[in-house]
Amino acid sequence: MRVFLVVKSLVPSHLKKDFDDWYENEHLSEAKQSFSAISASRGWERENGDIHYAYYEFDDFEKANKILKSEALKKMINIYDKKWSHQIDRTRKIITISQEI
């Protein structure tokens, strides 16, 4: 079963370019490694260009769910908050893929 930790960030327009560069060049790969994720990907919502999603893939629910309470996530939250000074609201959810064709 494929499982994703999905991080949704609401990025103020004036921070979008810097945020995008930082996520591309530093944060996505650092988080993937820290979480021991199978893969990591990210993108921007088309309807609201200020909403960014990051997807971290795991091979089972337990591994993904453990990340939500892990020191690795705390570390990444601290890095994120230090960089963005709590200017970016975000949420995290675990999504399980129930069917693929």
Side-chain angles (χ1 to χ4, degrees):
M1 172 189 318
R2 293 174 57 194
V3 180
F4 292 87
L5 165 61
V6 180
V7 180
K8 178 183 177 182
S9 301
L10 179 56
V11 183
S13 296
H14 71 281
L15 297 176
K16 189 172 175 183
K17 181 179 179 343
D18 288 341
F19 179 87
D20 195 50
D21 290 345
W22 173 74
Y23 227 106
E24 177 180 346
N25 296 309
E26 295 178 43
H27 194 68
L28 188 68
S29 61
E30 186 175 31
K32 178 185 180 284
Q33 182 178 352
S34 185
F35 300 157
S36 299
I38 294 169
S39 67
S41 55
R42 68 183 196 91
W44 295 93
E45 189 174 297
R46 300 283 260 168
E47 289 180 16
N48 181 345
D50 293 339
I51 297 178
H52 178 271
Y53 291 93
Y55 304 90
Y56 301 96
E57 182 180 6
F58 300 89
D59 55 8
D60 67 50
F61 175 79
E62 291 305 318
K63 287 180 185 175
N65 198 44
K66 283 181 184 176
I67 291 297
L68 292 176
K69 302 171 189 97
S70 71
E71 289 301 314
L73 182 61
K74 288 177 188 174
K75 173 188 166 192
M76 297 313 297
I77 288 170
N78 287 335
I79 290 169
Y80 197 108
D81 288 345
K82 183 177 179 182
K83 175 71 176 171
W84 300 108
S85 303
H86 303 279
Q87 297 177 81
I88 298 173
D89 292 327
R90 62 198 182 279
T91 59
R92 294 168 203 85
K93 295 188 187 268
I94 303 293
I95 307 295
T96 59
I97 303 302
S98 59
Q99 182 180 14
E100 285 188 73
I101 298 177

